[in-house]
């Protein structure tokens, strides 16, 4: 697997996530045709160059948990209207991007 091509595919999906919606690492992996590579998606997301200005804050884990130690993520999502549950996790039923329907 070409690492550069994998990264670019991840970047393309993340760039397409609409404001106010979130996707999971697994969904990104599914969308690029590599459903078993959600951890690799996470590694790519960790190293996204800031100059790409990708909406990385819109990617969460499968339960709606935010990135540990990234305190700005919640504020960024809330400013876009993403809904949270009392547990502090994203309300995936409300805010998950239903990319297949669009």
């Amino acid at each position: 697997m070409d690492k550069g091509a994998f990264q670019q595919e991840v970047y393309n999906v993340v760039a397409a996530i609409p404001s106010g919606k979130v996707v999971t690492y697994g969904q990104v992996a599914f969308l690029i045709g590599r459903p078993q590579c959600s951890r690799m998606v996470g590694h790519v997301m960790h190293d996204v160059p800031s100059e790409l200005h990708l909406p990385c804050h819109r990617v969460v884990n499968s339960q709606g948990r935010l990135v540990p130690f990234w305190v700005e993520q919640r504020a960024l999502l809330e400013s876009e209207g993403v809904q949270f549950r009392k547990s502090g996790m994203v309300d995936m039923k409300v805010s998950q991007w239903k990319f297949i329907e669009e």
Side-chain angles (χ1 to χ4, degrees):
M1 177 186 326
D2 177 10
K3 183 180 177 185
F6 183 86
Q7 285 176 322
Q8 190 58 53
E9 289 178 22
V10 170
Y11 296 165
N12 291 344
V13 169
V14 173
I17 305 167
S19 179
K21 296 295 180 183
V22 298
V23 297
T24 68
Y25 299 101
Q27 285 177 300
V28 174
F30 173 82
L31 287 169
I32 64 172
R34 305 228 184 240
Q36 303 301 319
C37 296
S38 57
R39 286 182 187 245
M40 286 179 60
V41 169
H43 291 295
V44 168
M45 296 298 301
H46 183 267
D47 297 325
V48 172
S50 60
E51 59 269 14
L52 293 181
H53 303 289
L54 293 176
C56 298
H57 61 284
R58 297 179 188 152
V59 182
V60 298
N61 85 357
S62 61
Q63 286 81 44
R65 223 175 260 123
L66 303 181
V67 176
F69 309 111
W70 185 11
V71 295
E72 299 87 3
Q73 186 179 17
R74 181 172 177 136
L76 288 167
L77 291 172
E78 285 179 331
S79 73
E80 295 180 354
V82 170
Q83 300 294 308
F84 284 81
R85 298 191 328 231
K86 289 180 183 178
S87 64
M89 293 189 282
V90 172
D91 186 335
M92 298 301 280
K93 290 181 181 176
V94 175
S95 297
Q96 189 170 20
W97 183 29
K98 311 261 190 304
F99 51 86
I100 294 176
E101 297 172 7
E102 295 183 7

